[in-house]
Amino acid sequence: MFTLRFDMRAPSFGADPAALYATAPEMCAWAERHGCLAAVMCEHHGSADGYLPSPLLLASAVAARTRRLALSLVLILPFYDPVRLAEDIAVLDILSAGRATYILALGYRPEEYEIFGLDLGDRGRLADEKLALLRRLLAGETVEQRGRRIVATPRPLSENGPAMMWGGGSLAAARRAGRYGMGMLANANVPGMREAYEDSCRKHGHEPGPAFFPDRSTPSVCFVADDVDSAWAELGEYLLHDARTYAAWNPGNEVSAGFTHADTVEELRAAAASHVIYSVPEAISRVRAGNMLAMSPLCGGLPPEIAWPYLKRVGEVVLPAASEAAGNGNSDRMLDELLSNRNG
């Protein structure tokens, strides 16, 4: 019951990017063997800390090192040529044996649109045009468009192409997901958002698909530690960099999950919202209750030698203990014993 997320931030005080990129596929291979459900790779451009600009390339490296792990890619659709994107998606679909799925989004940073020579105000129109063509190409159609005959090869392994959802944090995003009959993976739970999604689905002849609308307090970055105080001392500056950068990109955002407007490590810890460090017993309890641990093991450029023990603690301690506790019906006793043993 845990996932991995990689955005490959590498601030000047963090690890070298080469070490981070070498470690991410290794972590995925290890995590696959220890109960991880999926690896999530997100996209941004022009970030001073080198935020991952190419999830498709990193996902290909991860696919080569894994066999079962689900791959979830977050792509900013207006930045792509839909023909080239269809080809890249098809190749990754074949390489991963159909394990890659996609969350498509509009993006929100004017700086990124400037990099690509696009107007932020055109993002909705661009997304609509590109999504329509992309889906037809992945379904194997030959498209006649403005005098062009367009076809994308090879055909993806998945029938009609891999699964795609729409991402966003607004009513407009929910309506767009519904219009195209896509699932909705929101980054917020705006009032009326679920209703807007379901109404839009039915209005356009679709049954609502899978949809997730996280509350503001849903953590986006989790770690598990034997000693939480020591962990905050060790990890704090990396987690704070991640939190402050996202907050700077989203001034005034008070609805999206994963954002904390904290200026110090102490404030970030006290918020106990976006970035959370659990004790081992807390993590076991959460897994037993059916909650997902959203791990971001290289958060903020965390050096791999520091990151590995936190990740291994989840796969080698938390999940086995949670599984045994659930199976023997004496979970409270097991938690007490574990707490005592690990503090001894």
Side-chain angles (χ1 to χ4, degrees):
M1 294 288 289
F2 74 100
T3 61
L4 303 181
R5 181 169 67 87
F6 296 100
D7 55 28
M8 310 311 292
R9 291 188 186 275
S12 59
F13 61 84
D16 184 86
L20 296 174
Y21 276 91
T23 300
E26 292 182 10
M27 285 184 162
C28 289
W30 182 91
E32 178 182 63
R33 300 191 300 271
H34 291 82
C36 182
L37 300 181
V40 182
M41 285 149 274
C42 307
E43 173 182 5
H44 277 293
H45 299 269
S47 178
D49 60 10
Y51 195 116
L52 176 63
S54 184
L56 284 154
L57 282 179
L58 181 57
S60 295
V62 172
R65 296 290 306 275
T66 56
R67 293 293 177 267
R68 302 178 308 279
L69 187 68
L71 309 176
S72 180
L73 286 69
V74 182
L75 304 182
I76 304 175
L77 181 58
F79 298 160
Y80 289 86
D81 175 275
V83 180
R84 184 57 183 267
L85 181 56
E87 294 171 337
D88 288 345
I89 286 176
V91 170
L92 180 55
D93 195 54
I94 295 169
L95 287 172
S96 67
R99 289 182 286 130
T101 61
Y102 297 84
I103 298 99
L104 305 179
L106 291 181
Y108 54 87
R109 298 182 64 225
E111 301 91 335
E112 297 185 49
Y113 274 80
E114 182 178 358
I115 288 172
F116 285 90
L118 301 173
D119 187 333
L120 184 68
D122 291 334
R123 59 183 184 161
R125 175 184 60 80
L126 290 169
D128 288 337
E129 292 176 356
K130 295 183 177 188
L131 180 58
L133 178 56
L134 175 66
R135 297 179 84 187
R136 292 181 67 185
L137 293 175
L138 288 172
E141 293 186 35
T142 297
V143 180
E144 300 286 343
Q145 188 179 87
R146 303 186 188 97
R148 298 163 56 202
R149 180 179 178 275
I150 310 171
V151 62
T153 57
R155 288 289 302 276
L157 183 67
S158 302
E159 186 176 0
N160 295 322
M164 293 184 175
M165 302 179 74
W166 193 260
S170 66
L171 295 178
R175 294 187 186 106
R176 176 171 279 106
R179 184 163 69 247
Y180 289 104
M182 303 173 74
M184 179 74 204
L185 186 63
N187 57 15
N189 192 11
V190 175
M193 201 171 180
R194 182 180 293 276
E195 292 79 6
Y197 167 67
E198 293 178 352
D199 289 347
S200 181
C201 281
R202 295 190 175 102
K203 177 182 177 181
H204 293 89
H206 309 294
E207 282 299 312
F212 180 58
F213 301 92
D215 292 330
R216 173 74 170 178
S217 60
T218 302
S220 60
V221 174
C222 300
F223 282 81
V224 177
D226 288 330
D227 184 318
V228 173
D229 291 335
S230 296
W232 272 107
E234 184 171 48
L235 306 177
E237 65 174 328
Y238 302 98
L239 274 57
L240 182 63
H241 171 81
D242 186 62
R244 292 184 67 180
T245 304
Y246 274 123
W249 288 353
N250 294 268
N253 187 325
E254 298 296 339
V255 297
S256 293
F259 294 155
T260 301
H261 297 286
D263 291 320
T264 67
V265 172
E266 291 73 20
E267 291 177 359
L268 185 63
R269 179 178 182 178
S274 62
H275 297 66
V276 180
I277 301 177
Y278 296 114
S279 68
V280 170
E282 287 173 332
I284 293 171
S285 180
R286 288 186 64 81
V287 172
R288 282 176 42 220
N291 295 308
M292 191 71 64
L293 295 177
M295 310 298 295
S296 184
L298 299 176
C299 181
L302 187 65
E305 63 271 18
I306 297 176
W308 269 113
Y310 289 97
L311 176 58
K312 289 185 175 181
R313 190 171 291 115
V314 174
E316 295 177 351
V317 178
V318 172
L319 263 64
S323 177
E324 184 175 347
N328 66 14
N330 202 0
S331 55
D332 292 336
R333 177 184 59 78
M334 184 170 182
L335 279 175
D336 290 341
E337 290 180 357
L338 183 63
L339 179 60
S340 175
N341 291 340
R342 296 191 72 80
N343 285 342

